[in-house]
Amino acid sequence: MTQASCWVELFRSQQRLGGGLLLAPRYVLTAAHCLRGLAEFDEQVDVVLADGNRLDGQVCRRDKDADLALIMILGASGAARIPRTGVAHGGDRWHGPYRPASTEVHLRGEVDNGAVRYLCEGGAEIQALQLTTNQHLGDYSGYSGGPVVKGTPEGRDQVVVGLLLEQAPDRAKADRASNVLFAATIGEAMRRFDHFDVEHLMDVVHPESAPRRHCDQLEGRSDVAAIASAESWFLQIDAWARRQVLDPAQVADLKFRVAKMTIERQLGGETA
């Protein structure tokens, strides 16, 4: 899966709800306001991947204050691969691979600010990207929930850096929006949802080179192999920390858990 195909589209029956970001093999991140059409007791959605594959999903968490929601892909298969994530800085080029219909344009532009504190419509102050778009549409509704990818569509070094949430109003024309958008950072999503434990976080670090699952890689292997595998995870966690996706506390917690699993393997699972 490339960064260009990391987006999904969310449906309830034939009703399109909005876009989403495949952030982990079984989890889709989206804007909470995309789910307003769902009744509180009806949390089932269809997750349509970029290749057209349709999967069953269930809303498992809504953070309405931050306008973020998490959807779990049901079933044994899930989505096999996920994109590389990172952070953006002012001056970076960005584009949005998701568009609400084939008749709509793809968004692209420049990152104005890669880590601004933003008071979103839900009432929470979140870490956000402030983005300028080259396309002056006047109304950007329908693009919410789509991923923000750093780099140009033609470039090779692309990383997913955020999730589109809101648009700034045009101060001169109350009935139009300006070409300034705000997107939640990946780090903000990690802090908001406790579903991203060590297993899911490791999947996101570098899925192209990662083993299937951290438990699988340590189980049934020799002590030397288990230690070498743990060291490779430490290197990947450090790389993610350098990209500033994780804060120091998350990095420390991940390393502790990897070390604990390795020790448990060496001691035959007898540790507390």
Tab-separated table of all heavy atoms in Angstrom, residues 26 198-199 202-203 210-222 225-226 229-230 233 261 265:
chain	number	residue	atom	x	y	z
A	26	ARG	N	-6.089	-2.534	11.480
A	26	ARG	CA	-7.498	-2.728	11.817
A	26	ARG	C	-8.199	-1.446	12.245
A	26	ARG	O	-9.341	-1.496	12.699
A	26	ARG	CB	-7.634	-3.768	12.931
A	26	ARG	CG	-7.205	-5.161	12.517
A	26	ARG	CD	-7.468	-6.157	13.629
A	26	ARG	NE	-7.006	-7.476	13.229
A	26	ARG	CZ	-7.706	-8.318	12.483
A	26	ARG	NH1	-8.897	-7.969	12.054
A	26	ARG	NH2	-7.228	-9.501	12.171
A	198	VAL	N	1.171	-0.964	22.204
A	198	VAL	CA	2.455	-1.279	21.591
A	198	VAL	C	2.281	-2.027	20.270
A	198	VAL	O	2.996	-1.789	19.307
A	198	VAL	CB	3.337	-2.095	22.560
A	198	VAL	CG1	2.718	-3.422	22.908
A	198	VAL	CG2	4.725	-2.304	21.974
A	199	GLU	N	1.284	-2.903	20.189
A	199	GLU	CA	1.086	-3.690	18.971
A	199	GLU	C	0.756	-2.790	17.789
A	199	GLU	O	1.360	-2.884	16.723
A	199	GLU	CB	-0.029	-4.703	19.191
A	199	GLU	CG	-0.345	-5.538	17.963
A	199	GLU	CD	-1.411	-6.568	18.256
A	199	GLU	OE1	-1.799	-6.708	19.429
A	199	GLU	OE2	-1.848	-7.232	17.301
A	202	MET	N	3.611	-0.228	16.834
A	202	MET	CA	4.704	-0.845	16.089
A	202	MET	C	4.332	-1.056	14.632
A	202	MET	O	5.166	-0.958	13.741
A	202	MET	CB	5.089	-2.181	16.730
A	202	MET	CG	5.906	-2.020	17.998
A	202	MET	SD	6.355	-3.612	18.678
A	202	MET	CE	7.449	-3.085	19.977
A	203	ASP	N	3.068	-1.359	14.394
A	203	ASP	CA	2.624	-1.544	13.019
A	203	ASP	C	2.791	-0.270	12.209
A	203	ASP	O	3.016	-0.302	11.000
A	203	ASP	CB	1.154	-1.969	12.983
A	203	ASP	CG	0.978	-3.438	13.304
A	203	ASP	OD1	1.870	-4.224	12.948
A	203	ASP	OD2	-0.025	-3.786	13.919
A	210	ALA	N	8.412	-4.235	8.949
A	210	ALA	CA	8.055	-4.808	10.234
A	210	ALA	C	7.578	-6.240	10.085
A	210	ALA	O	6.972	-6.599	9.091
A	210	ALA	CB	6.958	-3.980	10.886
A	211	PRO	N	7.827	-7.086	11.112
A	211	PRO	CA	7.258	-8.429	11.114
A	211	PRO	C	5.748	-8.361	11.235
A	211	PRO	O	5.177	-7.308	11.465
A	211	PRO	CB	7.888	-9.078	12.357
A	211	PRO	CG	9.090	-8.236	12.660
A	211	PRO	CD	8.727	-6.847	12.221
A	212	ARG	N	5.092	-9.496	11.150
A	212	ARG	CA	3.634	-9.503	11.142
A	212	ARG	C	3.076	-8.909	12.422
A	212	ARG	O	2.220	-8.059	12.405
A	212	ARG	CB	3.120	-10.936	10.976
A	212	ARG	CG	3.431	-11.564	9.637
A	212	ARG	CD	3.082	-13.033	9.662
A	212	ARG	NE	3.872	-13.737	10.686
A	212	ARG	CZ	3.657	-14.994	11.022
A	212	ARG	NH1	2.675	-15.659	10.485
A	212	ARG	NH2	4.420	-15.571	11.927
A	213	ARG	N	3.517	-9.366	13.562
A	213	ARG	CA	3.049	-8.869	14.845
A	213	ARG	C	4.185	-9.002	15.847
A	213	ARG	O	5.024	-9.890	15.757
A	213	ARG	CB	1.849	-9.672	15.359
A	213	ARG	CG	0.599	-9.482	14.516
A	213	ARG	CD	-0.023	-8.145	14.804
A	213	ARG	NE	-1.241	-7.958	14.032
A	213	ARG	CZ	-1.943	-6.853	14.037
A	213	ARG	NH1	-1.567	-5.824	14.745
A	213	ARG	NH2	-3.039	-6.756	13.312
A	214	HIS	N	4.201	-8.102	16.833
A	214	HIS	CA	5.309	-8.161	17.778
A	214	HIS	C	5.266	-9.435	18.602
A	214	HIS	O	6.312	-9.973	18.964
A	214	HIS	CB	5.288	-6.929	18.682
A	214	HIS	CG	4.217	-6.940	19.714
A	214	HIS	ND1	2.896	-6.692	19.410
A	214	HIS	CD2	4.268	-7.178	21.043
A	214	HIS	CE1	2.168	-6.761	20.516
A	214	HIS	NE2	2.969	-7.051	21.518
A	215	CYS	N	4.089	-9.970	18.901
A	215	CYS	CA	4.019	-11.220	19.653
A	215	CYS	C	4.534	-12.374	18.805
A	215	CYS	O	5.236	-13.257	19.293
A	215	CYS	CB	2.586	-11.492	20.092
A	215	CYS	SG	1.982	-10.351	21.350
A	216	ASP	N	4.170	-12.384	17.518
A	216	ASP	CA	4.595	-13.457	16.631
A	216	ASP	C	6.109	-13.490	16.501
A	216	ASP	O	6.715	-14.553	16.412
A	216	ASP	CB	3.979	-13.286	15.241
A	216	ASP	CG	2.475	-13.472	15.269
A	216	ASP	OD1	1.983	-14.067	16.250
A	216	ASP	OD2	1.807	-13.011	14.330
A	217	GLN	N	6.718	-12.315	16.481
A	217	GLN	CA	8.144	-12.283	16.208
A	217	GLN	C	8.967	-12.778	17.395
A	217	GLN	O	10.094	-13.236	17.231
A	217	GLN	CB	8.576	-10.862	15.860
A	217	GLN	CG	8.557	-9.917	17.043
A	217	GLN	CD	9.154	-8.595	16.674
A	217	GLN	OE1	9.434	-8.340	15.519
A	217	GLN	NE2	9.349	-7.755	17.641
A	218	LEU	N	8.415	-12.690	18.618
A	218	LEU	CA	9.175	-13.118	19.787
A	218	LEU	C	8.827	-14.535	20.211
A	218	LEU	O	9.632	-15.225	20.822
A	218	LEU	CB	8.910	-12.164	20.958
A	218	LEU	CG	9.433	-10.729	20.766
A	218	LEU	CD1	9.050	-9.877	21.975
A	218	LEU	CD2	10.931	-10.701	20.554
A	219	GLU	N	7.624	-14.971	19.876
A	219	GLU	CA	7.170	-16.283	20.316
A	219	GLU	C	7.834	-17.390	19.507
A	219	GLU	O	7.890	-17.354	18.290
A	219	GLU	CB	5.651	-16.374	20.157
A	219	GLU	CG	5.088	-17.689	20.683
A	219	GLU	CD	3.580	-17.728	20.567
A	219	GLU	OE1	2.992	-16.712	20.158
A	219	GLU	OE2	3.009	-18.791	20.876
A	220	GLY	N	8.341	-18.404	20.219
A	220	GLY	CA	8.891	-19.566	19.557
A	220	GLY	C	10.237	-19.342	18.907
A	220	GLY	O	10.648	-20.119	18.052
A	221	ARG	N	10.972	-18.301	19.315
A	221	ARG	CA	12.278	-18.036	18.725
A	221	ARG	C	13.349	-18.175	19.790
A	221	ARG	O	13.078	-18.113	20.984
A	221	ARG	CB	12.306	-16.635	18.113
A	221	ARG	CG	11.257	-16.423	17.032
A	221	ARG	CD	11.332	-15.047	16.442
A	221	ARG	NE	12.617	-14.795	15.786
A	221	ARG	CZ	12.900	-13.682	15.119
A	221	ARG	NH1	12.003	-12.723	15.029
A	221	ARG	NH2	14.074	-13.518	14.552
A	222	SER	N	14.580	-18.358	19.350
A	222	SER	CA	15.683	-18.483	20.294
A	222	SER	C	15.907	-17.170	21.013
A	222	SER	O	15.472	-16.105	20.581
A	222	SER	CB	16.959	-18.881	19.544
A	222	SER	OG	17.393	-17.805	18.725
A	225	ALA	N	17.737	-14.670	18.790
A	225	ALA	CA	16.870	-14.098	17.761
A	225	ALA	C	15.887	-13.110	18.366
A	225	ALA	O	15.608	-12.058	17.785
A	225	ALA	CB	16.127	-15.212	17.028
A	226	ALA	N	15.355	-13.444	19.547
A	226	ALA	CA	14.394	-12.549	20.196
A	226	ALA	C	15.049	-11.234	20.575
A	226	ALA	O	14.465	-10.158	20.402
A	226	ALA	CB	13.801	-13.225	21.434
A	229	SER	N	15.638	-9.205	17.488
A	229	SER	CA	14.393	-8.622	17.018
A	229	SER	C	13.991	-7.424	17.873
A	229	SER	O	13.540	-6.405	17.363
A	229	SER	CB	13.285	-9.681	17.052
A	229	SER	OG	12.077	-9.148	16.569
A	230	ALA	N	14.171	-7.537	19.185
A	230	ALA	CA	13.852	-6.421	20.072
A	230	ALA	C	14.722	-5.212	19.757
A	230	ALA	O	14.255	-4.071	19.742
A	230	ALA	CB	14.031	-6.840	21.531
A	233	TRP	N	13.415	-3.363	16.907
A	233	TRP	CA	12.270	-2.533	17.270
A	233	TRP	C	12.721	-1.245	17.958
A	233	TRP	O	12.145	-0.176	17.732
A	233	TRP	CB	11.312	-3.294	18.178
A	233	TRP	CG	10.406	-4.230	17.446
A	233	TRP	CD1	10.275	-5.570	17.628
A	233	TRP	CD2	9.506	-3.901	16.391
A	233	TRP	NE1	9.350	-6.089	16.760
A	233	TRP	CE2	8.860	-5.089	15.995
A	233	TRP	CE3	9.186	-2.702	15.735
A	233	TRP	CZ2	7.914	-5.117	14.979
A	233	TRP	CZ3	8.231	-2.738	14.726
A	233	TRP	CH2	7.617	-3.936	14.360
A	261	MET	N	8.673	-7.978	27.031
A	261	MET	CA	8.341	-9.162	26.250
A	261	MET	C	9.568	-10.025	25.994
A	261	MET	O	9.507	-11.249	26.021
A	261	MET	CB	7.697	-8.753	24.924
A	261	MET	CG	6.277	-8.246	25.058
A	261	MET	SD	5.482	-7.982	23.446
A	261	MET	CE	6.483	-6.637	22.810
A	265	ARG	N	10.206	-13.838	27.348
A	265	ARG	CA	10.547	-14.947	26.442
A	265	ARG	C	11.766	-15.696	26.963
A	265	ARG	O	11.798	-16.918	26.962
A	265	ARG	CB	10.843	-14.367	25.038
A	265	ARG	CG	11.445	-15.375	24.064
A	265	ARG	CD	10.450	-16.491	23.756
A	265	ARG	NE	11.071	-17.519	22.944
A	265	ARG	CZ	11.725	-18.567	23.416
A	265	ARG	NH1	11.836	-18.732	24.732
A	265	ARG	NH2	12.250	-19.463	22.612
